[in-house]
Amino acid sequence: MTKELKQRNPLSLIKGVVSARHRNEIEMAGYIQALGVLEKHFFVYEQRLRVMDAPQIFPDGEVLLDAAQQGLSQLQETVEALKSVDPKENPQEAVALVKGAEEGYRLLVQLQDVNAEKQREFEEAYHQLEEEEDFENLFEDG
């Protein structure tokens, strides 16, 4: 994962906001506002996740979608809880909440990794099919 992409992932964003508040780089109002922006992004992601269906040929797909939903819920709950915690005043509680977000993010990444692996498998199978002589002959034979 590139550094830029890592910096955009939800866990890094949560950690960045909490850390900035802990270091007094942002005021409490800005901290709450940043958490609100994260909530909006999670809401959009939740809507996308709800309309995803696992292909019938992938029996573990529903389990992964459920795990991703659980992970997203953990991230949402963390952001909601962080709104009532000032990392500057209570860093231990903020750290404990962020650790919960790490588990939720791990579940989301699991879905992303499986999707990427399935995409690679599909591409490999397609390229293998393209290379076979019979595939090319299908178009010539009509």
Side-chain angles (χ1 to χ4, degrees), residues 129-141:
L129 186 61
E130 274 186 324
E131 291 173 1
E132 291 180 7
E133 195 174 274
D134 292 337
F135 183 75
E136 292 175 8
N137 291 333
L138 282 175
F139 294 106
E140 293 174 9
D141 294 342

Side-chain angles (χ1 to χ4, degrees), residues 26-137:
I26 58 175
E27 295 298 321
M28 191 64 179
Y31 169 76
I32 299 293
Q33 185 178 19
L35 292 174
V37 170
L38 284 173
E39 281 182 319
K40 289 177 184 174
H41 286 290
F42 292 155
F43 178 76
V44 170
Y45 189 77
E46 180 181 31
Q47 298 309 308
R48 290 179 181 166
L49 196 57
R50 285 183 184 203
V51 297
M52 289 178 79
D53 288 323
Q56 290 181 352
I57 60 170
F58 185 47
D60 295 333
E62 286 301 322
V63 172
L64 282 170
L65 287 175
D66 288 345
Q69 183 61 51
Q70 179 184 347
L72 181 60
S73 292
Q74 282 181 264
L75 289 170
Q76 290 170 314
E77 290 167 11
T78 296
V79 169
E80 182 63 32
L82 282 168
K83 286 179 166 183
S84 63
V85 174
D86 185 349
K88 183 179 165 192
E89 302 297 323
N90 194 347
Q92 296 84 6
E93 188 175 353
V95 167
L97 288 169
V98 171
K99 287 189 183 292
E102 288 173 347
E103 178 62 23
Y105 182 67
R106 187 188 62 76
L107 291 170
L108 285 177
V109 169
Q110 193 175 29
L111 177 64
Q112 181 181 352
D113 290 346
V114 168
N115 283 341
E117 179 62 28
K118 293 299 173 191
Q119 178 69 29
R120 279 191 297 276
E121 288 175 11
F122 173 77
E123 289 172 0
E124 287 173 13
Y126 182 77
H127 289 300
Q128 188 176 23
L129 186 61
E130 274 186 324
E131 291 173 1
E132 291 180 7
E133 195 174 274
D134 292 337
F135 183 75
E136 292 175 8
N137 291 333

